[in-house]
Amino acid sequence: MVTTLRKLAAEALGTAMLLAIVVGSGIMGETLSNGNSAVALLGNTLATGAGLIVLITILGPVSGAHFNPVVTLTFAVRREIGATLALGYIAAQFVGGVVGVLVAHGMFGEVLLQVSTRLRDGSALAMSEVVATFGLVGTILACLRFRSASTPVVVGLYITSAYWFTASTSFANPAVTVARSLSNTFAGIAPSSVPVFILAQCAGAAAAVVVFGWMLHTPTTPFPVPVEADL
Amino acid sequence: MVTTLRKLAAEALGTAMLLAIVVGSGIMGETLSNGNSAVALLGNTLATGAGLIVLITILGPVSGAHFNPVVTLTFAVRREIGATLALGYIAAQFVGGVVGVLVAHGMFGEVLLQVSTRLRDGSALAMSEVVATFGLVGTILACLRFRSASTPVVVGLYITSAYWFTASTSFANPAVTVARSLSNTFAGIAPSSVPVFILAQCAGAAAAVVVFGWMLHTPTTPFPVPVEADL
Amino acid sequence: MVTTLRKLAAEALGTAMLLAIVVGSGIMGETLSNGNSAVALLGNTLATGAGLIVLITILGPVSGAHFNPVVTLTFAVRREIGATLALGYIAAQFVGGVVGVLVAHGMFGEVLLQVSTRLRDGSALAMSEVVATFGLVGTILACLRFRSASTPVVVGLYITSAYWFTASTSFANPAVTVARSLSNTFAGIAPSSVPVFILAQCAGAAAAVVVFGWMLHTPTTPFPVPVEADL
Amino acid sequence: MVTTLRKLAAEALGTAMLLAIVVGSGIMGETLSNGNSAVALLGNTLATGAGLIVLITILGPVSGAHFNPVVTLTFAVRREIGATLALGYIAAQFVGGVVGVLVAHGMFGEVLLQVSTRLRDGSALAMSEVVATFGLVGTILACLRFRSASTPVVVGLYITSAYWFTASTSFANPAVTVARSLSNTFAGIAPSSVPVFILAQCAGAAAAVVVFGWMLHTPTTPFPVPVEADL
């Protein structure tokens, strides 16, 4: 019971720190960059990628460091976490995310409670979220299959990359998406844009479960692929 | 047979993701940077380097994570992969690369089918591609010889560096080159510039096979090189 | 005795190098960036994060690489370092920090002795320092608990992230704070702003000792969290 | 004998690649950044740091990956490499460095043979080179003492940091210094400024041999430093 409490606390704390990082570094970038959004995004990316590596390293041994409802759902579907604990994780993630946004606002002297007015609509952004979440969940499944100890670094690098290669800057996380709707800053998203993002994220995760579930059912190959019977 | 299918799928998926990263982050950089190409290239570099580390880590155990016809050819020449499987790999890489460009265009709301008008001609760029591919193939051969587990990180760092130290921003990959001819964005290359790039890449790879093939036939030395019989 | 001298020398040298890095790269960034503070902060962040990884790697085996009075105090409270040695460490850190600022000024041709006029006041910055130090000490405690060998990289990445996600750019270190009050450059802090920063840092560290002390008392969990009795 | 040839070839090739990276990425940064030197230095830093990690990883097992006369001299003074082989290494480094500059010029369509007109004079820059080389040699000695396998990454991160925290952007290498005098681009240094740089580098290395030689003669300490007899 105490152990479960610690797991839930780790999920809440980790998601809170993640949102403080995402929103806080967004404000910092926007404030300092004189309107050059590429420079702001560089700082935002560096902070988020590095921060994720830290959070997954230090809280992974406690709770698994999901910090993301679609990741928890993925493990639930694969029966690697029980349904009740999964629900607890998801609740902790949503609560933690909102707290993290408040912390970011407090650190930057912003009004604590905000609602974003930044619309992020349209099929291109929805497709971005499908791709972003497909890649994220696939990365996690492959790391756990082949190189578990590298998971923190590889996931952090994935998000570093995805901030730039998707038009949505890769939310890929329903708890992050909802929390960011409560910040009218660089990282914000208008509440009306949230549902499509979450649907797209679920679709991407489901695709990853199918595609990577099939592809990873294969014996490990050393580098380079050895000679073998041809096609 | 199923295993071979998985390998081909991994090569296609990995090359598709690679092109989505290269082209997508190029569009993002160009869009956000107000014409400061150095800042755009920083974002493009960060996304590509980090993304390559991820892709090689997660798909390397399935297919070897070539994602590059000259890499596959190098292993074929060294008889480390059979000829038929090598052909399958190369086909998967070209198909995957084109799909990845379409995905990038879709994510950024661009017209899906494009042809680049960006000429990349001249002997300086050709020499850049020779050097870039020489270094890439040499890096891969040395990693496999000495530190196989570090291959994903070292290859990702090599490309991070090569984006900046070569005048061509280091394509170093025929499948990437062909696919990028189908994007009239930051990362594009006019079709008329493609053949020289591919020839230069093959020349660089061949030089690496000879030079590194000789140099790596040596016993491993610990740091620092120990006292020994002098010259 | 000689061993203790070496430890104190390592703390002084490491803290001196850290300040030379923080202040020197701040001057470099400010000088080169034509007033774009976001670009200056990117360089400052890159230098500090990379430098910290180096310093903790090379001096950690000698002294533990604290370089930070609140870190030494944390270990003293947890009875992992004796009181007298802890006092020696803290003295070495303050002396080293001041020397490092002088070295930075010397390298950039600045007047050696300066006093900062840059006020860093207000509750938002104080809260930033609480959060920054809470995260730093929590990161250190968790690394030592779970992945001791990764400590240098994870701490360096934490500071990389914290430079951007806190409004104060994350001093998180009383010796660094005092030393930076002696530099009227990018990294400076007016002496009148120092006491609140140090109080906030102590509060953040204390909170981390309590929260992480509780949370880390848990058996290590492999990725992902396994099925278990639900809530 | 063949083995020695391979070692010398590795030193020449590695130093050539290093100079191609330093000079090439400098030209790229200067060309693209519209006169924002901080952005140019960011690209130059990223390319050099990442490239060094690659080169030391892939050529370290062959030759030890010195690429730097003061590093070779350090090992000679410590009797870890014979005098004749050390001379061969140093010759290979100077020749390789010049070739690398020519390659960089070729890749960017520059006149091959140039002489820099960029003066880098004065005591502040000389002091910068003392500090830069002191840190570099100390980093190498400590890595070899405690964490040999991390040497490539830690040295690469050291240079990443030192590009920013020293006013000279950390040449820290006589072969690099001489070679850069042959490039009238971002990375160049006027020949008249070279001798003081080299003297400063030798002084920094000598100081590191003394200081780190003493400090590293200590038993390895786990994180954190354990309780022990106080001062």
Side-chain angles (χ1 to χ4, degrees):
Chain A
M1 184 59 196
V2 172
T3 297
T4 299
L5 265 180
R6 287 189 176 111
K7 287 182 197 297
L8 297 179
E11 286 296 309
L13 175 62
T15 313
M17 293 289 287
L18 177 57
L19 266 295
I21 291 169
V22 170
V23 173
S25 64
I27 298 172
M28 179 67 99
E30 196 172 35
T31 305
L32 295 186
S33 66
N34 304 332
N36 187 324
S37 297
V39 173
L41 186 59
L42 277 176
N44 192 213
T45 303
L46 198 63
T48 306
L52 256 179
I53 296 175
V54 172
L55 292 174
I56 301 174
T57 301
I58 68 176
L59 297 175
V62 179
S63 70
H66 300 185
F67 312 152
N68 187 339
V70 298
V71 171
T72 300
L73 280 175
T74 296
F75 291 134
V77 166
R78 293 165 59 96
R79 307 209 175 282
E80 293 165 345
I81 184 173
T84 316
L85 185 59
L87 284 176
Y89 268 44
I90 291 172
Q93 292 155 2
F94 278 105
V95 171
V98 171
V99 171
V101 170
L102 300 182
V103 170
H105 290 165
M107 288 195 293
F108 283 88
E110 297 259 346
V111 174
L112 291 189
L113 289 172
Q114 307 182 9
V115 177
S116 175
T117 58
R118 179 162 177 177
L119 294 172
R120 300 188 188 248
D121 294 331
S123 60
L125 293 185
M127 180 179 167
S128 290
E129 285 300 302
V130 173
V131 172
T133 316
F134 171 80
L136 174 63
V137 172
T139 296
I140 293 169
L141 293 177
C143 281
L144 297 179
R145 169 78 177 76
F146 298 127
R147 298 190 64 169
S148 183
S150 300
T151 306
V153 170
V154 177
V155 171
L157 291 176
Y158 176 79
I159 291 296
T160 296
S161 187
Y163 261 40
W164 281 83
F165 80 73
T166 64
S168 62
T169 67
S170 194
F171 285 53
N173 182 328
V176 165
T177 305
V178 167
R180 286 168 69 165
S181 75
L182 298 176
S183 184
N184 198 20
T185 64
F186 185 78
I189 176 172
S192 65
S193 302
V194 167
V196 172
F197 264 51
I198 293 178
L199 279 176
Q201 291 158 6
C202 293
V209 167
V210 172
V211 172
F212 280 85
W214 170 74
M215 200 183 304
L216 302 178
H217 267 217
T218 193
T220 306
T221 307
F223 287 105
V225 64
V227 179
E228 60 161 72
D230 277 338
L231 285 174
Chain B
M1 183 61 196
V2 172
T3 297
T4 299
L5 265 180
R6 287 189 177 111
K7 288 182 196 297
L8 297 179
E11 286 296 309
L13 177 63
T15 313
M17 293 289 288
L18 177 58
L19 266 295
I21 291 168
V22 170
V23 172
S25 64
I27 297 171
M28 180 67 100
E30 196 172 36
T31 305
L32 295 185
S33 66
N34 304 331
N36 187 325
S37 296
V39 173
L41 186 59
L42 277 176
N44 192 214
T45 302
L46 199 63
T48 307
L52 257 179
I53 296 175
V54 172
L55 292 174
I56 301 175
T57 302
I58 68 176
L59 296 175
V62 179
S63 70
H66 300 185
F67 312 153
N68 187 340
V70 299
V71 171
T72 300
L73 280 174
T74 294
F75 292 134
V77 165
R78 293 166 59 97
R79 307 208 175 283
E80 292 165 346
I81 183 173
T84 316
L85 185 59
L87 285 176
Y89 267 44
I90 291 172
Q93 291 155 3
F94 278 105
V95 171
V98 172
V99 171
V101 169
L102 300 182
V103 169
H105 291 165
M107 287 195 295
F108 283 88
E110 296 259 347
V111 174
L112 291 189
L113 290 171
Q114 307 181 8
V115 177
S116 176
T117 59
R118 179 162 178 179
L119 294 172
R120 300 188 188 248
D121 295 331
S123 59
L125 294 185
M127 180 179 167
S128 290
E129 285 299 301
V130 173
V131 172
T133 316
F134 171 81
L136 174 63
V137 172
T139 296
I140 293 169
L141 293 177
C143 281
L144 298 179
R145 169 80 177 75
F146 297 127
R147 298 190 64 168
S148 184
S150 300
T151 305
V153 170
V154 177
V155 170
L157 291 176
Y158 176 79
I159 292 296
T160 296
S161 187
Y163 261 39
W164 281 83
F165 79 74
T166 64
S168 62
T169 66
S170 194
F171 286 52
N173 183 327
V176 165
T177 306
V178 167
R180 286 168 68 165
S181 74
L182 299 177
S183 185
N184 198 19
T185 64
F186 185 77
I189 176 173
S192 65
S193 302
V194 167
V196 171
F197 264 51
I198 293 179
L199 280 176
Q201 291 158 5
C202 292
V209 168
V210 173
V211 171
F212 280 85
W214 171 73
M215 200 183 303
L216 302 178
H217 266 217
T218 193
T220 305
T221 307
F223 287 105
V225 64
V227 179
E228 60 161 74
D230 276 339
L231 285 174
Chain C
M1 183 61 197
V2 172
T3 297
T4 299
L5 266 180
R6 287 190 177 109
K7 287 182 197 298
L8 296 179
E11 285 297 308
L13 177 63
T15 313
M17 293 290 288
L18 178 57
L19 266 295
I21 290 168
V22 170
V23 173
S25 65
I27 298 173
M28 180 67 99
E30 197 173 34
T31 305
L32 295 185
S33 66
N34 304 332
N36 187 323
S37 296
V39 173
L41 186 60
L42 277 177
N44 192 213
T45 302
L46 199 63
T48 306
L52 257 180
I53 296 174
V54 172
L55 293 174
I56 301 174
T57 302
I58 68 176
L59 296 175
V62 179
S63 70
H66 301 186
F67 312 153
N68 187 340
V70 298
V71 171
T72 300
L73 281 174
T74 296
F75 291 134
V77 165
R78 292 165 59 96
R79 306 209 175 282
E80 292 165 345
I81 184 172
T84 316
L85 185 59
L87 284 177
Y89 267 44
I90 291 171
Q93 290 155 3
F94 277 105
V95 171
V98 172
V99 171
V101 170
L102 300 182
V103 169
H105 290 165
M107 287 195 294
F108 283 88
E110 296 259 347
V111 174
L112 292 190
L113 290 172
Q114 306 181 10
V115 177
S116 176
T117 58
R118 180 162 177 177
L119 295 172
R120 300 188 188 250
D121 295 330
S123 59
L125 294 186
M127 180 180 168
S128 289
E129 285 299 301
V130 173
V131 172
T133 316
F134 171 80
L136 174 63
V137 172
T139 296
I140 292 170
L141 293 177
C143 281
L144 297 178
R145 169 79 178 76
F146 298 127
R147 296 190 67 169
S148 183
S150 299
T151 306
V153 169
V154 177
V155 171
L157 291 176
Y158 176 78
I159 292 295
T160 296
S161 187
Y163 262 39
W164 282 84
F165 78 74
T166 63
S168 62
T169 67
S170 192
F171 285 53
N173 182 329
V176 165
T177 305
V178 167
R180 286 168 68 165
S181 74
L182 299 176
S183 185
N184 197 19
T185 65
F186 185 79
I189 176 173
S192 65
S193 303
V194 168
V196 171
F197 264 51
I198 292 179
L199 280 176
Q201 291 158 6
C202 292
V209 168
V210 173
V211 172
F212 280 85
W214 171 75
M215 201 184 303
L216 302 178
H217 267 217
T218 193
T220 305
T221 306
F223 286 104
V225 65
V227 178
E228 59 161 75
D230 276 339
L231 286 173
Chain D
M1 184 60 197
V2 171
T3 297
T4 299
L5 266 180
R6 287 190 177 109
K7 286 181 196 299
L8 297 179
E11 286 297 309
L13 176 63
T15 314
M17 294 289 287
L18 177 58
L19 265 295
I21 291 167
V22 170
V23 173
S25 64
I27 298 172
M28 180 67 100
E30 197 173 35
T31 304
L32 294 186
S33 65
N34 303 333
N36 187 324
S37 296
V39 173
L41 186 60
L42 277 176
N44 192 213
T45 302
L46 198 63
T48 306
L52 256 179
I53 296 175
V54 173
L55 293 174
I56 301 174
T57 302
I58 68 176
L59 296 175
V62 180
S63 71
H66 301 185
F67 312 153
N68 187 340
V70 299
V71 171
T72 300
L73 280 174
T74 295
F75 291 135
V77 164
R78 292 165 59 97
R79 307 211 175 280
E80 291 165 347
I81 184 173
T84 315
L85 185 59
L87 285 176
Y89 267 44
I90 292 172
Q93 291 156 2
F94 278 105
V95 171
V98 171
V99 170
V101 170
L102 300 182
V103 169
H105 291 165
M107 287 194 295
F108 283 88
E110 297 259 347
V111 174
L112 292 189
L113 290 171
Q114 307 181 8
V115 177
S116 176
T117 58
R118 179 162 177 179
L119 294 172
R120 298 188 188 249
D121 296 330
S123 59
L125 294 186
M127 180 179 167
S128 289
E129 285 299 303
V130 173
V131 172
T133 316
F134 171 80
L136 174 63
V137 172
T139 296
I140 293 170
L141 293 177
C143 281
L144 297 179
R145 168 80 177 76
F146 298 126
R147 298 191 64 170
S148 184
S150 299
T151 306
V153 170
V154 177
V155 170
L157 291 176
Y158 175 79
I159 291 296
T160 296
S161 187
Y163 262 39
W164 281 83
F165 79 74
T166 64
S168 62
T169 67
S170 193
F171 285 53
N173 182 328
V176 165
T177 306
V178 166
R180 286 168 69 165
S181 74
L182 299 176
S183 185
N184 198 20
T185 64
F186 185 78
I189 176 173
S192 64
S193 302
V194 168
V196 171
F197 265 51
I198 293 179
L199 280 176
Q201 291 158 5
C202 292
V209 168
V210 173
V211 171
F212 280 85
W214 170 74
M215 201 183 303
L216 303 178
H217 267 217
T218 193
T220 306
T221 308
F223 287 105
V225 64
V227 178
E228 60 160 74
D230 275 339
L231 285 175

